[in-house]
C-alpha cells in the first residue's frame, strides 16, 4: 500500500491535472470534460511510478505503453505528459487549435509521449493486444496499459480483442474500464447495459479486478495485482464519476460541452483552494 506522503503527492498531481484540463478547454471554449476528469487519478498513478516512462526519450524501447482507446480524453493525457516534462506546459492552451501538436484526440505523429493514435472507439484495445503479443513473442518485459470507456465496451470489437488477448494469454496487457456509467447520449444502463461487466470479462478468460477510480491507493494496489498475473490479461474496472472534480460538470450529464471563461475560472479557483 502507498504511504500517506505518496497518496498526498498523487492527489496533488491529480489536482494539478484537473486545473490544466480545465485551462485547455477554457482556451478552446469546448471539449470532452467528463471523460477527461474521470481518469485523472488513474493517470496520476500510472505516470508517477506504476508505468515505466522516459520524458527525455518518449520512444525508449524499455518503456511501458499506454493506449488511451477513448482518444477524446486527450486533454487529460496531455496534462499528465506536460506535468511530467514530455513537453512544455505552454503547449496546453493550443489544444485543438490550428497548427497545434495537441489535437482533440490522441495522435502519435504530433504529441511526444502518445504511443498510439486513437479516437475510433473499440480499436485501441485491439492495437494494445497486438502490441502485447509482439512483446511476448520478443520476450520483452514491457507492459501495455489500455484505457477504454464503458460506453465503448458496447462495441463488438472490444470483445473480439478480449477473446484474442485471453487466447494468447497476454499477461503483459492490463485494461482499464472507465466505468463512469454515462456515455454520449445518456446512462449506459439505459442505452445498452453492460452489467455484469466483471462476469463478462471473467467468462472471456480475464483476471478481473475492481477499484474506486478516484482512490490512488486502490488503483495502485489493483495495478500491482495485475502486473503480478502471469497467465492471463487483466482488467481493472474503475468505478468513476464523469466530470469528477469539475464544479460545472460533476453530477451533470455531460460528454462534449461548451466551457465559458467564467465557468472555467470558478472551477479552477475551487480546485486551487483545495490545494491550500
Amino acid at each position: 500500500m502507498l504511504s500517506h506522503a505518496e497518496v498526498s503527492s498523487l492527489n496533488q498531481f491529480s489536482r494539478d491535472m484537473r486545473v490544466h484540463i480545465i485551462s485547455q478547454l477554457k482556451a478552446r471554449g469546448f471539449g470532452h470534460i467528463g471523460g477527461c476528469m474521470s481518469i485523472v487519478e488513474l493517470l496520476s498513478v500510472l505516470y508517477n511510478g506504476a508505468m515505466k516512462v522516459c520524458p527525455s526519450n518518449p520512444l525508449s524501447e524499455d518503456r511501458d505503453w499506454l493506449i488511451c482507446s477513448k482518444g477524446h480524453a486527450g486533454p487529460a493525457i496531455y496534462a499528465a505528459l506536460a506535468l511530467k516534462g514530455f513537453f512544455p506546459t505552454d503547449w496546453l492552451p493550443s489544444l485543438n487549435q490550428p497548427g497545434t501538436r495537441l489535437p482533440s484526440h490522441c495522435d502519435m505523429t504530433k504529441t511526444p509521449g502518445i504511443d498510439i493514435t486513437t479516437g475510433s472507439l473499440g480499436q485501441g484495445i485491439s492495437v494494445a493486444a497486438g502490441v502485447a503479443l509482439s512483446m511476448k513473442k520478443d520476450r520483452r518485459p514491457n507492459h501495455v496499459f489500455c484505457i477504454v470507456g464503458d460506453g465503448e465496451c458496447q462495441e463488438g470489437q472490444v470483445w473480439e480483442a478480449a477473446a484474442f488477448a485471453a487466447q494468447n494469454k497476454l499477461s503483459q496487457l492490463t485494461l482499464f474500464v472507465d466505468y463512469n456509467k454515462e456515455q454520449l447520449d445518456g446512462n449506459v444502463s439505459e442505452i445498452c447495459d453492460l452489467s455484469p461487466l466483471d462476469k463478462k470479462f471473467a467468462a472471456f478468460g480475464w483476471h478481473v479486478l475492481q477499484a474506486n477510480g478516484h482512490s490512488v491507493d486502490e488503483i495502485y494496489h489493483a495495478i500491482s495485482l495485475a502486473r503480478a498475473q502471469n497467465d492471463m490479461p487483466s482488467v481493472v474496472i474503475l468505478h468513476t464519476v464523469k466530470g469528477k472534480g469539475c464544479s460545472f460538470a460533476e453530477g451533470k450529464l455531460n460528454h462534449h460541452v461548451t466551457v465559458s471563461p467564467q465557468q472555467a475560472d470558478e472551477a479552477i479557483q475551487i480546485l486551487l483552494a483545495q490545494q491550500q
Side-chain angles (χ1 to χ4, degrees):
M1 303 297 286
L2 296 169
S3 68
H4 177 75
E6 289 170 326
V7 169
S8 179
S9 178
L10 289 170
N11 284 334
Q12 181 66 51
F13 191 91
S14 298
R15 287 190 288 269
D16 291 345
M17 280 185 61
R18 286 193 164 93
V19 169
H20 281 301
I21 293 168
I22 296 171
S23 296
Q24 290 175 76
L25 301 187
K26 173 188 175 182
R28 191 65 183 106
F30 53 81
H32 295 92
I33 186 71
C36 286
M37 291 296 182
S38 54
I39 63 170
V40 164
E41 279 77 17
L42 169 62
L43 295 176
S44 180
V45 173
L46 286 174
Y47 280 103
N48 287 286
M51 181 171 65
K52 186 176 183 180
V53 296
C54 183
S56 62
N57 183 15
L59 297 178
S60 169
E61 291 188 359
D62 294 332
R63 77 186 188 281
D64 291 330
W65 287 51
L66 175 62
I67 299 173
C68 186
S69 188
K70 44 175 277 180
H72 54 277
I77 306 291
Y78 304 152
L81 291 173
L83 287 169
K84 295 305 294 184
F86 281 82
F87 52 80
T89 55
D90 292 348
W91 288 18
L92 294 176
S94 74
L95 174 74
N96 208 18
Q97 303 283 357
T100 187
R101 296 189 67 179
L102 306 178
S104 176
H105 291 62
C106 299
D107 189 330
M108 62 186 290
T109 69
K110 296 182 181 295
T111 311
I114 297 296
D115 291 311
I116 293 294
T117 300
T118 55
S120 184
L121 296 181
Q123 293 185 1
I125 181 176
S126 293
V127 177
V131 173
L133 180 62
S134 72
M135 291 176 176
K136 179 178 180 178
K137 287 183 176 296
D138 290 343
R139 298 184 179 180
R140 295 170 58 190
N142 315 58
H143 205 84
V144 184
F145 298 99
C146 180
I147 306 171
V148 297
D150 47 4
E152 182 177 5
C153 288
Q154 296 162 353
E155 297 274 0
Q157 185 171 354
V158 170
W159 299 101
E160 292 176 22
F164 175 88
Q167 173 69 26
N168 288 279
K169 302 184 184 303
L170 300 181
S171 59
Q172 288 170 285
L173 172 62
T174 297
L175 178 70
F176 301 99
V177 179
D178 178 19
Y179 206 13
N180 58 43
K181 321 300 190 298
E182 296 177 12
Q183 59 188 101
L184 174 64
D185 296 320
N187 295 320
V188 172
S189 61
E190 296 173 353
I191 295 171
C192 187
D193 196 6
L194 297 172
S195 60
L197 190 57
D198 55 342
K199 293 181 180 178
K200 287 179 179 176
F201 271 106
F204 270 73
W206 284 60
H207 175 219
V208 181
L209 300 158
Q210 300 196 55
N212 175 350
H214 301 300
S215 166
V216 294
D217 204 18
E218 287 192 29
I219 294 170
Y220 180 86
H221 181 61
I223 292 173
S224 298
L225 293 176
R227 297 202 71 152
Q229 173 57 244
N230 295 317
D231 298 319
M232 61 181 73
S234 295
V235 57
V236 183
I237 299 173
L238 296 173
H239 295 275
T240 61
V241 176
K242 201 161 188 175
K244 178 70 173 179
C246 181
S247 60
F248 61 84
E250 184 175 350
K252 304 175 179 67
L253 186 63
N254 63 83
H255 185 74
H256 185 280
V257 300
T258 57
V259 180
S260 71
Q262 180 180 2
Q263 284 179 314
D265 290 343
E266 289 178 353
I268 289 172
Q269 288 175 5
I270 291 171
L271 287 166
L272 292 177
Q274 295 174 1
Q275 297 177 6
Q276 296 175 358

